């Protein structure tokens, strides 16, 4: 609860440079792997299935 | 969900104000991010009913989750996390995921640019490698002392704005309107 309160009160808008570089590197590798393995299509299809299931719930 | 004009406009206005504030005060006020997040959820809920609300909430959670580890390690400000959550709620899933990933990459590029400008490129790369070793070593259960921080920061709100603008203005990235 205290951590959540700290999170809400914290308004800092800056990022440590080395962490920003590391996060960018991880994001770039993640994007490359997703596209190379075709995971982006799989994630999109799974999400579409979930939305379709919500829109057309099975009859009880 | 397709990117609509109100979503694009809302994201651009939010990011413009946040960038101005971040550059000036290195803060992104709650008075900007929290109302934007709540308004996006309400509008998507009103326009798209349950599905709209779900996509908007997913967008906020996914975008926020990308930068939350940085906040947990005290490397990213919570203002940035809340701004990206608000942008994610406006853009909805899966555009929010693209916006978050693009913001991380834009943040890295801004960091590189700042390091080169300050003549501290080598030092930044060395510290980044040390931080990476520490994080992955920690995840693997190998205790290692935390590397010393450079205490040099970039306004990450600018990176979020650049990424969002690219996503909104370049249809090939963000999807057609």
């Amino acid at each position: 609860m205290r951590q959540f309160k700290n999170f809400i009160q914290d308004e800092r808008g800056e990022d440590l440079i080395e962490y920003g570089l590391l996060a960018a590197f991880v994001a770039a590798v993640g994007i490359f792997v997703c596209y190379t393995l075709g995971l982006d299509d799989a994630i999109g299809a799974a999400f579409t299935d979930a939305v379709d299931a919500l829109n057309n719930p099975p009859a009880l | 969900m397709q990117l609509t004009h109100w979503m694009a406009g809302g994201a651009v206005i939010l990011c413009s104000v946040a960038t101005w504030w971040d550059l000036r005060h290195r803060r992104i006020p709650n008075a900007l991010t929290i109302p934007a997040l709540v308004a996006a959820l309400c509008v998507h809920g009103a326009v798209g009913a349950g599905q709209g609300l779900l996509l908007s909430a997913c967008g906020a959670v996914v975008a926020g989750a990308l930068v939350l580890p940085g906040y947990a390690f005290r490397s990213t400000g919570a203002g940035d996390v809340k701004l990206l959550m608000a942008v994610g709620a406006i853009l909805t899933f899966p555009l929010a995921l693209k916006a978050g990933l693009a913001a991380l990459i834009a943040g890295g590029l801004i960091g590189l640019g700042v390091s080169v400008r300050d003549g501290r490129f080598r030092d930044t790369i060395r510290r980044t490698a040390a931080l990476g070793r520490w994080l992955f070593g920690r995840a693997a259960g190998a205790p290692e002392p935390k590397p010393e921080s450079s205490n040099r920061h970039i306004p990450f709100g600018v990176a979020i704005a650049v990424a969002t603008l690219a996503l909104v203005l370049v249809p090939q990235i963000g999807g057609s309107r």
Side-chain angles (χ1 to χ4, degrees):
Chain A
M1 194 63 199
R2 201 177 57 127
Q3 283 177 333
F4 181 72
K5 200 175 163 188
N6 288 342
F7 174 73
I8 294 298
Q9 285 174 345
D10 182 2
E11 293 185 333
R12 282 180 303 124
E14 48 186 20
D15 197 1
L16 195 64
I17 285 188
E18 51 261 40
Y19 181 80
L21 279 176
L22 189 64
F25 176 72
V26 172
V29 170
I31 291 169
F32 177 76
V33 169
C34 274
Y35 276 98
T36 305
L37 299 180
L39 292 179
D40 54 325
D41 292 335
I43 293 169
F47 197 78
T48 306
D49 289 347
V51 171
D52 288 345
L54 280 171
N55 285 337
N56 307 304
L60 295 175
Chain B
M1 183 178 280
Q2 291 289 312
L3 185 66
T4 59
H5 286 96
W6 81 261
M7 287 158 64
V12 168
I13 292 169
L14 173 66
C15 287
S16 304
V17 178
T19 297
W20 182 79
W21 207 280
D22 198 13
L23 284 172
R24 207 173 156 88
H25 304 289
R26 289 296 173 105
R27 280 175 53 239
I28 301 173
N30 284 337
L32 180 68
T33 52
I34 292 177
L37 174 63
V38 173
L41 290 170
C42 291
V43 172
H44 278 296
V47 173
Q51 187 190 343
L53 185 61
L54 177 72
L55 289 171
S56 181
C58 275
V61 169
V62 166
L66 289 175
V67 283
L68 209 54
Y71 174 73
F73 287 110
R74 300 185 178 280
S75 299
T76 302
D80 294 321
V81 181
K82 285 176 269 185
L83 175 62
L84 199 52
M85 286 179 78
V87 168
I90 293 172
L91 296 180
T92 71
F93 188 88
L95 274 179
L97 178 61
K98 287 184 181 179
L101 290 171
L104 290 178
I105 291 173
L109 293 176
I110 292 172
L112 273 181
V114 169
S115 301
V116 170
R117 186 198 65 190
D118 296 346
R120 297 182 68 171
F121 178 74
R122 275 171 180 269
D123 178 56
T124 303
I125 295 297
R126 187 180 58 76
R127 286 182 191 278
T128 303
L131 182 66
R133 272 199 305 275
W134 178 73
L135 283 173
F136 290 114
R138 198 180 136 114
E144 217 178 298
K146 189 177 181 183
E148 197 181 329
S149 159
S150 68
N151 272 328
R152 291 164 61 236
H153 296 85
I154 52 163
F156 192 65
V158 178
I160 297 172
V162 167
T164 305
L165 284 176
L167 208 67
V168 164
L169 298 177
V170 183
Q172 287 82 358
I173 304 175
S176 58
R177 256 164 284 156

